[in-house]
Amino acid sequence: MSDKFYPYGRQQIDDDDIEAVVNVMKSDWLTQGPTIASFESDLASFLGVKEVVACTSGTAALHLAMLAAGLGKGDRVLTSPITFLSSANCARFVGADVGFVDVDPDTGLMNVHALETELKRDTTKIIKAVVPVHMGGQPVDMPRIYELTHGHGAYVVDDACHAIGASYEHEGKSYRVGGNPHCDMTVFSFHPVKHVAMGEGGAVTTDDSALAESLRLYRNHGMVKGKGVESESAYDSDGTINPWYYEMQVLGFNYRLTDFQAALGINQLKKLPQSLDKRRGIAQQYYRLLEKHFADGGVRALKSVPDRSHAYHLFVVKIDFERFGVTRGQVMNRLREKNIGTQVHYIPLYRQPYYRRCCSSEASEFPGAEAYYAQALSIPMYPNLTATDCEIIITELKKVLGGNR
Ligand SMILES: Cc1ncc(COP(=O)(O)O)c(C=O)c1O
């Protein structure tokens, strides 16, 4: 047993990150200052996208995307049931309905055939947006989802909270998730378990400047100052805009990021390529160890789809608990006693009491998500895990499972 605790995910904050934050804390701008724009510009360069709108969380980013897309009551948004609550909640925040699209049980990714069926069924065209999720960091089939969804006249807002740095090939070209060729907006989270940790934080990326303008409006109370004001009372008698004048054009929110969070983000972004390499190296260790210790397939990694480069926010294994004669709860508790943290990503959203009440979907409609959920377990994945740590984790998993055979 290891004497250190391995959580399923954790941040890596170095001295240079702390220094970057402290420098901004000592400056004149704790919020609404220049570091936000620097962070947005660095992220835009990394992703190769025109516009980045930073905000307070991935959840806020999803909400802003729904607002900018103009969604509301009477509209319907489709998402995956295997995701965090926010991917669906954002639709409810604006009064839209939510529908779930089944996933491939071997990847946890949205099944594009199921999406096609849902869109075809929508003869009155109330589906106004699809929110596919790059589950765990593996990209979904963006080109196909975009083709189907745009063909239906709806927006694609991909939830890339797990997938900064992931990419996919399409017709001989490589595309970075969040670079926006096959979607309207992409959403990121900078929560500490994510690749870029900022305490809390999020961003929406888009190539559409009108959407970006709308995202910025909703981020800051729906308020406009200077250029863009509508009312005549904005102007002085000489036609210049009054310096004190501001106006609220829509019902917005305070979803502004602080400058010290942005400073942390800038520094974390610089280290993202190395941390992605480390995550990919750890995944290779796990693949090798699973092959060695569970050659019979009792424990398998999720399937990697060809031509997609995984960002490995999570490392999810599928365990045939029945075959081992042990429950998932027992496995998690016994691993915990060995200082190994695990988690289930995710309980299908249609099983949540709230969504049972407001969507009335039955688990039997989602055989892919049910099969995925029955066996999924996330084991530790973060950049400073060593090869020895991986060995300890898989050996302990084997002991915990083997004890009941
Ligand atoms: C897939 C997914 N979407 C959205 C979110 C929401 O992000 P945040 O926690 O920054 O609000 C998360 C957070 O865990 C997530 O995993």
Side-chain angles (χ1 to χ4, degrees), residues 211-245:
L211 284 176
E213 196 178 321
S214 185
L215 290 163
R216 291 194 176 100
L217 184 65
Y218 281 107
R219 172 178 67 175
N220 191 21
H221 305 283
M223 201 170 78
V224 176
K225 258 183 124 174
K227 204 167 144 263
V229 290
E230 288 169 356
S231 168
E232 279 181 15
S233 59
Y235 297 92
D236 206 347
S237 50
D238 64 1
T240 56
I241 298 175
N242 286 312
W244 44 264
Y245 186 80

PDB file of all heavy atoms in Angstrom, residues 211-245:
ATOM      1  N   LEU A 211     -21.622  36.462 -32.094  1.00  0.00           N
ATOM      2  CA  LEU A 211     -21.848  35.634 -30.897  1.00  0.00           C
ATOM      3  C   LEU A 211     -20.928  36.102 -29.767  1.00  0.00           C
ATOM      4  O   LEU A 211     -21.345  36.202 -28.608  1.00  0.00           O
ATOM      5  CB  LEU A 211     -21.578  34.148 -31.202  1.00  0.00           C
ATOM      6  CG  LEU A 211     -22.653  33.397 -31.994  1.00  0.00           C
ATOM      7  CD1 LEU A 211     -22.193  31.971 -32.311  1.00  0.00           C
ATOM      8  CD2 LEU A 211     -23.973  33.345 -31.205  1.00  0.00           C
ATOM      9  N   ALA A 212     -19.680  36.424 -30.116  1.00  0.00           N
ATOM     10  CA  ALA A 212     -18.714  36.866 -29.094  1.00  0.00           C
ATOM     11  C   ALA A 212     -19.203  38.148 -28.413  1.00  0.00           C
ATOM     12  O   ALA A 212     -19.120  38.290 -27.188  1.00  0.00           O
ATOM     13  CB  ALA A 212     -17.345  37.076 -29.723  1.00  0.00           C
ATOM     14  N   GLU A 213     -19.735  39.046 -29.211  1.00  0.00           N
ATOM     15  CA  GLU A 213     -20.232  40.310 -28.654  1.00  0.00           C
ATOM     16  C   GLU A 213     -21.381  40.048 -27.670  1.00  0.00           C
ATOM     17  O   GLU A 213     -21.451  40.615 -26.584  1.00  0.00           O
ATOM     18  CB  GLU A 213     -20.719  41.191 -29.811  1.00  0.00           C
ATOM     19  CG  GLU A 213     -20.889  42.629 -29.425  1.00  0.00           C
ATOM     20  CD  GLU A 213     -21.323  43.475 -30.622  1.00  0.00           C
ATOM     21  OE1 GLU A 213     -20.835  43.240 -31.747  1.00  0.00           O
ATOM     22  OE2 GLU A 213     -22.157  44.352 -30.412  1.00  0.00           O
ATOM     23  N   SER A 214     -22.242  39.130 -28.073  1.00  0.00           N
ATOM     24  CA  SER A 214     -23.372  38.786 -27.226  1.00  0.00           C
ATOM     25  C   SER A 214     -22.895  38.093 -25.931  1.00  0.00           C
ATOM     26  O   SER A 214     -23.402  38.377 -24.836  1.00  0.00           O
ATOM     27  CB  SER A 214     -24.296  37.882 -28.041  1.00  0.00           C
ATOM     28  OG  SER A 214     -25.438  37.618 -27.344  1.00  0.00           O
ATOM     29  N   LEU A 215     -21.908  37.203 -26.063  1.00  0.00           N
ATOM     30  CA  LEU A 215     -21.359  36.521 -24.870  1.00  0.00           C
ATOM     31  C   LEU A 215     -20.808  37.555 -23.889  1.00  0.00           C
ATOM     32  O   LEU A 215     -21.017  37.453 -22.681  1.00  0.00           O
ATOM     33  CB  LEU A 215     -20.225  35.568 -25.285  1.00  0.00           C
ATOM     34  CG  LEU A 215     -20.629  34.326 -26.073  1.00  0.00           C
ATOM     35  CD1 LEU A 215     -19.409  33.700 -26.762  1.00  0.00           C
ATOM     36  CD2 LEU A 215     -21.298  33.295 -25.168  1.00  0.00           C
ATOM     37  N   ARG A 216     -20.109  38.574 -24.419  1.00  0.00           N
ATOM     38  CA  ARG A 216     -19.505  39.608 -23.555  1.00  0.00           C
ATOM     39  C   ARG A 216     -20.598  40.454 -22.883  1.00  0.00           C
ATOM     40  O   ARG A 216     -20.470  40.843 -21.729  1.00  0.00           O
ATOM     41  CB  ARG A 216     -18.570  40.514 -24.362  1.00  0.00           C
ATOM     42  CG  ARG A 216     -17.340  39.770 -24.805  1.00  0.00           C
ATOM     43  CD  ARG A 216     -16.196  40.644 -25.307  1.00  0.00           C
ATOM     44  NE  ARG A 216     -15.083  39.780 -25.602  1.00  0.00           N
ATOM     45  CZ  ARG A 216     -14.740  39.349 -26.826  1.00  0.00           C
ATOM     46  NH1 ARG A 216     -15.408  39.771 -27.883  1.00  0.00           N
ATOM     47  NH2 ARG A 216     -13.742  38.510 -26.990  1.00  0.00           N
ATOM     48  N   LEU A 217     -21.665  40.703 -23.626  1.00  0.00           N
ATOM     49  CA  LEU A 217     -22.775  41.486 -23.085  1.00  0.00           C
ATOM     50  C   LEU A 217     -23.407  40.757 -21.889  1.00  0.00           C
ATOM     51  O   LEU A 217     -23.596  41.327 -20.816  1.00  0.00           O
ATOM     52  CB  LEU A 217     -23.802  41.712 -24.200  1.00  0.00           C
ATOM     53  CG  LEU A 217     -25.009  42.577 -23.916  1.00  0.00           C
ATOM     54  CD1 LEU A 217     -24.584  44.015 -23.637  1.00  0.00           C
ATOM     55  CD2 LEU A 217     -25.985  42.558 -25.100  1.00  0.00           C
ATOM     56  N   TYR A 218     -23.712  39.465 -22.095  1.00  0.00           N
ATOM     57  CA  TYR A 218     -24.352  38.699 -21.019  1.00  0.00           C
ATOM     58  C   TYR A 218     -23.402  38.461 -19.842  1.00  0.00           C
ATOM     59  O   TYR A 218     -23.847  38.282 -18.709  1.00  0.00           O
ATOM     60  CB  TYR A 218     -24.877  37.358 -21.549  1.00  0.00           C
ATOM     61  CG  TYR A 218     -26.183  37.496 -22.294  1.00  0.00           C
ATOM     62  CD1 TYR A 218     -26.241  37.385 -23.676  1.00  0.00           C
ATOM     63  CD2 TYR A 218     -27.363  37.746 -21.595  1.00  0.00           C
ATOM     64  CE1 TYR A 218     -27.439  37.522 -24.362  1.00  0.00           C
ATOM     65  CE2 TYR A 218     -28.578  37.872 -22.270  1.00  0.00           C
ATOM     66  CZ  TYR A 218     -28.605  37.759 -23.639  1.00  0.00           C
ATOM     67  OH  TYR A 218     -29.800  37.888 -24.295  1.00  0.00           O
ATOM     68  N   ARG A 219     -22.089  38.453 -20.109  1.00  0.00           N
ATOM     69  CA  ARG A 219     -21.113  38.217 -19.038  1.00  0.00           C
ATOM     70  C   ARG A 219     -21.109  39.362 -18.031  1.00  0.00           C
ATOM     71  O   ARG A 219     -20.779  39.200 -16.874  1.00  0.00           O
ATOM     72  CB  ARG A 219     -19.724  38.074 -19.677  1.00  0.00           C
ATOM     73  CG  ARG A 219     -18.586  38.007 -18.691  1.00  0.00           C
ATOM     74  CD  ARG A 219     -17.251  37.812 -19.341  1.00  0.00           C
ATOM     75  NE  ARG A 219     -16.808  38.940 -20.155  1.00  0.00           N
ATOM     76  CZ  ARG A 219     -15.608  39.005 -20.743  1.00  0.00           C
ATOM     77  NH1 ARG A 219     -14.761  37.999 -20.627  1.00  0.00           N
ATOM     78  NH2 ARG A 219     -15.273  40.041 -21.472  1.00  0.00           N
ATOM     79  N   ASN A 220     -21.456  40.571 -18.505  1.00  0.00           N
ATOM     80  CA  ASN A 220     -21.334  41.748 -17.650  1.00  0.00           C
ATOM     81  C   ASN A 220     -22.670  42.494 -17.538  1.00  0.00           C
ATOM     82  O   ASN A 220     -22.815  43.619 -18.012  1.00  0.00           O
ATOM     83  CB  ASN A 220     -20.226  42.651 -18.218  1.00  0.00           C
ATOM     84  CG  ASN A 220     -19.852  43.753 -17.259  1.00  0.00           C
ATOM     85  OD1 ASN A 220     -20.108  43.655 -16.056  1.00  0.00           O
ATOM     86  ND2 ASN A 220     -19.260  44.814 -17.788  1.00  0.00           N
ATOM     87  N   HIS A 221     -23.656  41.787 -16.939  1.00  0.00           N
ATOM     88  CA  HIS A 221     -24.956  42.405 -16.606  1.00  0.00           C
ATOM     89  C   HIS A 221     -25.773  42.870 -17.810  1.00  0.00           C
ATOM     90  O   HIS A 221     -26.754  43.595 -17.628  1.00  0.00           O
ATOM     91  CB  HIS A 221     -24.755  43.622 -15.679  1.00  0.00           C
ATOM     92  CG  HIS A 221     -23.993  43.314 -14.434  1.00  0.00           C
ATOM     93  ND1 HIS A 221     -24.548  42.671 -13.357  1.00  0.00           N
ATOM     94  CD2 HIS A 221     -22.689  43.543 -14.118  1.00  0.00           C
ATOM     95  CE1 HIS A 221     -23.633  42.529 -12.410  1.00  0.00           C
ATOM     96  NE2 HIS A 221     -22.500  43.035 -12.851  1.00  0.00           N
ATOM     97  N   GLY A 222     -25.380  42.521 -19.019  1.00  0.00           N
ATOM     98  CA  GLY A 222     -26.107  43.015 -20.196  1.00  0.00           C
ATOM     99  C   GLY A 222     -25.893  44.494 -20.409  1.00  0.00           C
ATOM    100  O   GLY A 222     -26.710  45.181 -21.042  1.00  0.00           O
ATOM    101  N   MET A 223     -24.768  44.978 -19.888  1.00  0.00           N
ATOM    102  CA  MET A 223     -24.541  46.420 -19.785  1.00  0.00           C
ATOM    103  C   MET A 223     -23.559  46.906 -20.853  1.00  0.00           C
ATOM    104  O   MET A 223     -22.570  46.245 -21.131  1.00  0.00           O
ATOM    105  CB  MET A 223     -23.916  46.637 -18.407  1.00  0.00           C
ATOM    106  CG  MET A 223     -24.030  47.999 -17.863  1.00  0.00           C
ATOM    107  SD  MET A 223     -23.491  47.943 -16.126  1.00  0.00           S
ATOM    108  CE  MET A 223     -21.741  47.896 -16.305  1.00  0.00           C
ATOM    109  N   VAL A 224     -23.866  48.062 -21.448  1.00  0.00           N
ATOM    110  CA  VAL A 224     -22.993  48.633 -22.484  1.00  0.00           C
ATOM    111  C   VAL A 224     -22.590  50.032 -22.064  1.00  0.00           C
ATOM    112  O   VAL A 224     -23.409  50.795 -21.550  1.00  0.00           O
ATOM    113  CB  VAL A 224     -23.725  48.701 -23.850  1.00  0.00           C
ATOM    114  CG1 VAL A 224     -22.859  49.385 -24.894  1.00  0.00           C
ATOM    115  CG2 VAL A 224     -24.105  47.311 -24.317  1.00  0.00           C
ATOM    116  N   LYS A 225     -21.329  50.340 -22.309  1.00  0.00           N
ATOM    117  CA  LYS A 225     -20.801  51.703 -22.065  1.00  0.00           C
ATOM    118  C   LYS A 225     -20.104  52.126 -23.331  1.00  0.00           C
ATOM    119  O   LYS A 225     -19.444  51.315 -23.974  1.00  0.00           O
ATOM    120  CB  LYS A 225     -19.746  51.643 -20.952  1.00  0.00           C
ATOM    121  CG  LYS A 225     -20.233  52.103 -19.613  1.00  0.00           C
ATOM    122  CD  LYS A 225     -19.104  52.086 -18.613  1.00  0.00           C
ATOM    123  CE  LYS A 225     -18.973  53.474 -18.006  1.00  0.00           C
ATOM    124  NZ  LYS A 225     -18.011  53.543 -16.921  1.00  0.00           N
ATOM    125  N   GLY A 226     -20.231  53.373 -23.712  1.00  0.00           N
ATOM    126  CA  GLY A 226     -19.504  53.856 -24.898  1.00  0.00           C
ATOM    127  C   GLY A 226     -20.124  53.311 -26.167  1.00  0.00           C
ATOM    128  O   GLY A 226     -21.360  53.254 -26.319  1.00  0.00           O
ATOM    129  N   LYS A 227     -19.256  52.859 -27.100  1.00  0.00           N
ATOM    130  CA  LYS A 227     -19.724  52.384 -28.406  1.00  0.00           C
ATOM    131  C   LYS A 227     -20.804  51.301 -28.242  1.00  0.00           C
ATOM    132  O   LYS A 227     -20.640  50.391 -27.442  1.00  0.00           O
ATOM    133  CB  LYS A 227     -18.513  51.796 -29.144  1.00  0.00           C
ATOM    134  CG  LYS A 227     -18.646  51.775 -30.626  1.00  0.00           C
ATOM    135  CD  LYS A 227     -17.278  51.485 -31.251  1.00  0.00           C
ATOM    136  CE  LYS A 227     -17.441  50.628 -32.468  1.00  0.00           C
ATOM    137  NZ  LYS A 227     -17.248  49.227 -32.290  1.00  0.00           N
ATOM    138  N   GLY A 228     -21.872  51.437 -28.998  1.00  0.00           N
ATOM    139  CA  GLY A 228     -22.904  50.400 -28.940  1.00  0.00           C
ATOM    140  C   GLY A 228     -24.114  50.803 -28.115  1.00  0.00           C
ATOM    141  O   GLY A 228     -25.111  50.087 -28.076  1.00  0.00           O
ATOM    142  N   VAL A 229     -24.057  51.961 -27.437  1.00  0.00           N
ATOM    143  CA  VAL A 229     -25.228  52.374 -26.651  1.00  0.00           C
ATOM    144  C   VAL A 229     -26.375  52.746 -27.607  1.00  0.00           C
ATOM    145  O   VAL A 229     -26.138  53.198 -28.719  1.00  0.00           O
ATOM    146  CB  VAL A 229     -24.911  53.561 -25.700  1.00  0.00           C
ATOM    147  CG1 VAL A 229     -24.007  53.118 -24.570  1.00  0.00           C
ATOM    148  CG2 VAL A 229     -24.316  54.725 -26.457  1.00  0.00           C
ATOM    149  N   GLU A 230     -27.614  52.517 -27.121  1.00  0.00           N
ATOM    150  CA  GLU A 230     -28.766  52.694 -28.010  1.00  0.00           C
ATOM    151  C   GLU A 230     -29.526  53.994 -27.757  1.00  0.00           C
ATOM    152  O   GLU A 230     -30.018  54.641 -28.676  1.00  0.00           O
ATOM    153  CB  GLU A 230     -29.754  51.534 -27.793  1.00  0.00           C
ATOM    154  CG  GLU A 230     -29.270  50.212 -28.349  1.00  0.00           C
ATOM    155  CD  GLU A 230     -30.144  49.058 -27.886  1.00  0.00           C
ATOM    156  OE1 GLU A 230     -31.078  49.274 -27.085  1.00  0.00           O
ATOM    157  OE2 GLU A 230     -29.884  47.930 -28.337  1.00  0.00           O
ATOM    158  N   SER A 231     -29.631  54.368 -26.473  1.00  0.00           N
ATOM    159  CA  SER A 231     -30.546  55.445 -26.107  1.00  0.00           C
ATOM    160  C   SER A 231     -29.999  56.828 -26.477  1.00  0.00           C
ATOM    161  O   SER A 231     -28.796  57.074 -26.395  1.00  0.00           O
ATOM    162  CB  SER A 231     -30.795  55.362 -24.596  1.00  0.00           C
ATOM    163  OG  SER A 231     -31.429  56.525 -24.189  1.00  0.00           O
ATOM    164  N   GLU A 232     -30.920  57.714 -26.827  1.00  0.00           N
ATOM    165  CA  GLU A 232     -30.512  59.088 -27.184  1.00  0.00           C
ATOM    166  C   GLU A 232     -29.914  59.823 -25.993  1.00  0.00           C
ATOM    167  O   GLU A 232     -29.057  60.698 -26.139  1.00  0.00           O
ATOM    168  CB  GLU A 232     -31.709  59.875 -27.708  1.00  0.00           C
ATOM    169  CG  GLU A 232     -31.961  59.560 -29.158  1.00  0.00           C
ATOM    170  CD  GLU A 232     -33.122  60.350 -29.719  1.00  0.00           C
ATOM    171  OE1 GLU A 232     -33.534  61.331 -29.078  1.00  0.00           O
ATOM    172  OE2 GLU A 232     -33.607  59.957 -30.785  1.00  0.00           O
ATOM    173  N   SER A 233     -30.370  59.438 -24.779  1.00  0.00           N
ATOM    174  CA  SER A 233     -29.863  60.143 -23.602  1.00  0.00           C
ATOM    175  C   SER A 233     -28.396  59.819 -23.319  1.00  0.00           C
ATOM    176  O   SER A 233     -27.802  60.363 -22.395  1.00  0.00           O
ATOM    177  CB  SER A 233     -30.735  59.845 -22.385  1.00  0.00           C
ATOM    178  OG  SER A 233     -30.735  58.469 -22.155  1.00  0.00           O
ATOM    179  N   ALA A 234     -27.836  58.938 -24.116  1.00  0.00           N
ATOM    180  CA  ALA A 234     -26.405  58.634 -23.980  1.00  0.00           C
ATOM    181  C   ALA A 234     -25.550  59.822 -24.418  1.00  0.00           C
ATOM    182  O   ALA A 234     -24.401  59.949 -24.007  1.00  0.00           O
ATOM    183  CB  ALA A 234     -26.053  57.416 -24.838  1.00  0.00           C
ATOM    184  N   TYR A 235     -26.125  60.696 -25.250  1.00  0.00           N
ATOM    185  CA  TYR A 235     -25.299  61.702 -25.920  1.00  0.00           C
ATOM    186  C   TYR A 235     -25.429  63.102 -25.323  1.00  0.00           C
ATOM    187  O   TYR A 235     -26.506  63.522 -24.930  1.00  0.00           O
ATOM    188  CB  TYR A 235     -25.669  61.750 -27.410  1.00  0.00           C
ATOM    189  CG  TYR A 235     -25.369  60.434 -28.091  1.00  0.00           C
ATOM    190  CD1 TYR A 235     -26.355  59.444 -28.188  1.00  0.00           C
ATOM    191  CD2 TYR A 235     -24.101  60.159 -28.592  1.00  0.00           C
ATOM    192  CE1 TYR A 235     -26.081  58.221 -28.765  1.00  0.00           C
ATOM    193  CE2 TYR A 235     -23.819  58.933 -29.176  1.00  0.00           C
ATOM    194  CZ  TYR A 235     -24.815  57.968 -29.268  1.00  0.00           C
ATOM    195  OH  TYR A 235     -24.525  56.763 -29.841  1.00  0.00           O
ATOM    196  N   ASP A 236     -24.336  63.819 -25.315  1.00  0.00           N
ATOM    197  CA  ASP A 236     -24.313  65.225 -24.912  1.00  0.00           C
ATOM    198  C   ASP A 236     -24.779  66.052 -26.121  1.00  0.00           C
ATOM    199  O   ASP A 236     -24.886  65.539 -27.241  1.00  0.00           O
ATOM    200  CB  ASP A 236     -22.867  65.594 -24.517  1.00  0.00           C
ATOM    201  CG  ASP A 236     -22.856  66.758 -23.529  1.00  0.00           C
ATOM    202  OD1 ASP A 236     -23.902  67.408 -23.365  1.00  0.00           O
ATOM    203  OD2 ASP A 236     -21.794  67.000 -22.930  1.00  0.00           O
ATOM    204  N   SER A 237     -24.990  67.350 -25.890  1.00  0.00           N
ATOM    205  CA  SER A 237     -25.525  68.188 -26.972  1.00  0.00           C
ATOM    206  C   SER A 237     -24.580  68.247 -28.184  1.00  0.00           C
ATOM    207  O   SER A 237     -25.017  68.450 -29.314  1.00  0.00           O
ATOM    208  CB  SER A 237     -25.802  69.588 -26.451  1.00  0.00           C
ATOM    209  OG  SER A 237     -24.657  70.046 -25.775  1.00  0.00           O
ATOM    210  N   ASP A 238     -23.277  68.042 -27.959  1.00  0.00           N
ATOM    211  CA  ASP A 238     -22.333  68.081 -29.093  1.00  0.00           C
ATOM    212  C   ASP A 238     -22.211  66.732 -29.801  1.00  0.00           C
ATOM    213  O   ASP A 238     -21.353  66.535 -30.661  1.00  0.00           O
ATOM    214  CB  ASP A 238     -20.955  68.556 -28.620  1.00  0.00           C
ATOM    215  CG  ASP A 238     -20.325  67.592 -27.623  1.00  0.00           C
ATOM    216  OD1 ASP A 238     -20.968  66.546 -27.330  1.00  0.00           O
ATOM    217  OD2 ASP A 238     -19.209  67.856 -27.139  1.00  0.00           O
ATOM    218  N   GLY A 239     -23.053  65.771 -29.394  1.00  0.00           N
ATOM    219  CA  GLY A 239     -23.060  64.468 -30.083  1.00  0.00           C
ATOM    220  C   GLY A 239     -22.071  63.457 -29.517  1.00  0.00           C
ATOM    221  O   GLY A 239     -22.023  62.313 -29.978  1.00  0.00           O
ATOM    222  N   THR A 240     -21.303  63.835 -28.512  1.00  0.00           N
ATOM    223  CA  THR A 240     -20.378  62.849 -27.916  1.00  0.00           C
ATOM    224  C   THR A 240     -21.117  62.048 -26.842  1.00  0.00           C
ATOM    225  O   THR A 240     -22.085  62.542 -26.234  1.00  0.00           O
ATOM    226  CB  THR A 240     -19.145  63.541 -27.263  1.00  0.00           C
ATOM    227  OG1 THR A 240     -19.646  64.482 -26.308  1.00  0.00           O
ATOM    228  CG2 THR A 240     -18.272  64.252 -28.301  1.00  0.00           C
ATOM    229  N   ILE A 241     -20.628  60.833 -26.596  1.00  0.00           N
ATOM    230  CA  ILE A 241     -21.297  60.003 -25.570  1.00  0.00           C
ATOM    231  C   ILE A 241     -20.909  60.524 -24.192  1.00  0.00           C
ATOM    232  O   ILE A 241     -19.730  60.782 -23.925  1.00  0.00           O
ATOM    233  CB  ILE A 241     -20.894  58.513 -25.715  1.00  0.00           C
ATOM    234  CG1 ILE A 241     -21.340  57.967 -27.073  1.00  0.00           C
ATOM    235  CG2 ILE A 241     -21.476  57.663 -24.598  1.00  0.00           C
ATOM    236  CD1 ILE A 241     -20.906  56.552 -27.375  1.00  0.00           C
ATOM    237  N   ASN A 242     -21.902  60.696 -23.330  1.00  0.00           N
ATOM    238  CA  ASN A 242     -21.626  61.161 -21.969  1.00  0.00           C
ATOM    239  C   ASN A 242     -20.706  60.175 -21.252  1.00  0.00           C
ATOM    240  O   ASN A 242     -20.936  58.960 -21.307  1.00  0.00           O
ATOM    241  CB  ASN A 242     -22.944  61.280 -21.183  1.00  0.00           C
ATOM    242  CG  ASN A 242     -23.738  62.486 -21.634  1.00  0.00           C
ATOM    243  OD1 ASN A 242     -23.192  63.586 -21.746  1.00  0.00           O
ATOM    244  ND2 ASN A 242     -25.017  62.275 -21.919  1.00  0.00           N
ATOM    245  N   PRO A 243     -19.675  60.696 -20.560  1.00  0.00           N
ATOM    246  CA  PRO A 243     -18.680  59.797 -19.955  1.00  0.00           C
ATOM    247  C   PRO A 243     -19.247  58.904 -18.851  1.00  0.00           C
ATOM    248  O   PRO A 243     -18.710  57.857 -18.564  1.00  0.00           O
ATOM    249  CB  PRO A 243     -17.616  60.758 -19.400  1.00  0.00           C
ATOM    250  CG  PRO A 243     -18.270  62.095 -19.319  1.00  0.00           C
ATOM    251  CD  PRO A 243     -19.333  62.117 -20.375  1.00  0.00           C
ATOM    252  N   TRP A 244     -20.335  59.333 -18.195  1.00  0.00           N
ATOM    253  CA  TRP A 244     -20.899  58.558 -17.104  1.00  0.00           C
ATOM    254  C   TRP A 244     -21.940  57.548 -17.564  1.00  0.00           C
ATOM    255  O   TRP A 244     -22.444  56.750 -16.796  1.00  0.00           O
ATOM    256  CB  TRP A 244     -21.562  59.497 -16.092  1.00  0.00           C
ATOM    257  CG  TRP A 244     -22.391  60.576 -16.757  1.00  0.00           C
ATOM    258  CD1 TRP A 244     -21.975  61.836 -17.037  1.00  0.00           C
ATOM    259  CD2 TRP A 244     -23.720  60.472 -17.271  1.00  0.00           C
ATOM    260  NE1 TRP A 244     -22.962  62.542 -17.676  1.00  0.00           N
ATOM    261  CE2 TRP A 244     -24.063  61.727 -17.837  1.00  0.00           C
ATOM    262  CE3 TRP A 244     -24.680  59.446 -17.320  1.00  0.00           C
ATOM    263  CZ2 TRP A 244     -25.284  61.975 -18.436  1.00  0.00           C
ATOM    264  CZ3 TRP A 244     -25.899  59.696 -17.904  1.00  0.00           C
ATOM    265  CH2 TRP A 244     -26.200  60.954 -18.457  1.00  0.00           C
ATOM    266  N   TYR A 245     -22.282  57.587 -18.848  1.00  0.00           N
ATOM    267  CA  TYR A 245     -23.467  56.875 -19.306  1.00  0.00           C
ATOM    268  C   TYR A 245     -23.214  55.366 -19.473  1.00  0.00           C
ATOM    269  O   TYR A 245     -22.225  54.943 -20.051  1.00  0.00           O
ATOM    270  CB  TYR A 245     -23.956  57.449 -20.639  1.00  0.00           C
ATOM    271  CG  TYR A 245     -25.266  56.825 -21.057  1.00  0.00           C
ATOM    272  CD1 TYR A 245     -26.469  57.258 -20.513  1.00  0.00           C
ATOM    273  CD2 TYR A 245     -25.291  55.759 -21.956  1.00  0.00           C
ATOM    274  CE1 TYR A 245     -27.660  56.653 -20.861  1.00  0.00           C
ATOM    275  CE2 TYR A 245     -26.477  55.150 -22.307  1.00  0.00           C
ATOM    276  CZ  TYR A 245     -27.668  55.596 -21.754  1.00  0.00           C
ATOM    277  OH  TYR A 245     -28.837  54.997 -22.098  1.00  0.00           O
TER     278      TYR A 245
END
